[in-house]
């Protein structure tokens, strides 16, 4: 003889009818999934799979945002290093050539100094922009 158990759905309050020995039951009204029993004791537990999936998705989204932020930070550092290196090269070239060729090359050295200073401005102003966006 098959035993039948009548339960109340924790989601909608409707009656759920389940056969004894089944470990899972579904509400016919709202579709809620219920864990009914294990081998040693009878347990009635509601599993909200949509909430679990929502939490997993929001966690993955936050991780992706942090990854993108880190990549952008590394890209900014690389660009600043390239600009600084170019500025250093122009400074050395400009002042070395101005000693041999004349004063016209000093402007190239001054341009190089300005380029070497620009990464600091990039870092300062991008940090200020990030603070304004928060």
């Amino acid at each position: 003889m098959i035993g039948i158990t009548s339960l109340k759905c924790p989601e909608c309050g409707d009656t759920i009818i389940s056969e004894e020995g089944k470990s899972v039951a579904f509400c016919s009204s709202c579709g809620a999934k219920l864990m009914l029993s294990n081998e040693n004791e009878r347990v009635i537990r509601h599993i909200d799979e949509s909430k679990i999936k929502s939490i997993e998705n929001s966690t993955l989204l936050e991780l992706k945002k942090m990854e993108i932020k880190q990549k952008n930070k590394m890209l900014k550092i690389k660009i600043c290093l390239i600009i600084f290196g170019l500025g250093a090269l122009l400074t050395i070239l400009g002042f070395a050539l101005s000693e041999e060729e004349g004063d016209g090359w000093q402007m190239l050295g001054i341009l190089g100094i300005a380029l070497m200073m620009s990464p600091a401005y990039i870092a300062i102003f991008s940090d200020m922009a990030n603070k304004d966006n928060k």
Side-chain angles (χ1 to χ4, degrees):
M1 182 171 168
I2 298 174
I4 296 178
T5 305
S6 179
L7 305 166
K8 187 174 181 180
C9 177
E11 282 294 311
C12 67
D14 200 9
T15 303
I16 298 174
I17 298 174
S18 172
E19 294 178 15
E20 268 188 44
K22 297 273 185 176
S23 60
V24 178
F26 295 91
C27 176
S28 59
S29 297
C30 70
K33 181 179 179 180
L34 299 170
M35 296 278 297
L36 299 176
S37 65
N38 63 21
E39 291 181 20
N40 298 325
E41 61 185 40
R42 186 136 179 98
V43 178
I44 300 173
R45 184 176 14 167
H46 173 67
I47 299 173
D48 191 350
E49 292 180 10
S50 64
K51 191 170 186 176
I52 292 170
K53 193 68 171 171
S54 172
I55 291 169
E56 287 174 353
N57 287 340
S58 65
T59 303
L60 286 173
L61 182 64
E62 286 301 314
L63 287 172
K64 204 55 141 167
K65 284 179 183 178
M66 289 183 346
E67 182 182 327
I68 290 170
K69 194 181 282 187
Q70 184 66 27
K71 283 182 181 180
N72 287 342
K73 187 177 182 181
M74 292 306 294
L75 179 64
K76 185 172 73 171
I77 289 171
K78 287 177 184 177
I79 289 171
C80 287
L81 286 172
I82 290 170
I83 292 172
F84 184 83
L86 232 116
L89 181 66
L90 285 178
T91 302
I92 293 168
L93 258 171
F95 288 120
L97 288 174
S98 70
E99 288 180 10
E100 293 179 14
E101 302 290 327
D103 290 338
W105 289 97
Q106 279 183 342
M107 199 58 161
L108 187 63
I110 293 169
L111 177 67
I113 291 171
L115 266 176
M116 286 180 7
M117 292 170 48
S118 64
Y121 292 116
I122 291 171
I124 290 168
F125 289 120
S126 67
D127 285 343
M128 289 172 67
N130 288 341
K131 287 178 184 173
D132 288 344
N133 290 338
K134 288 182 182 178

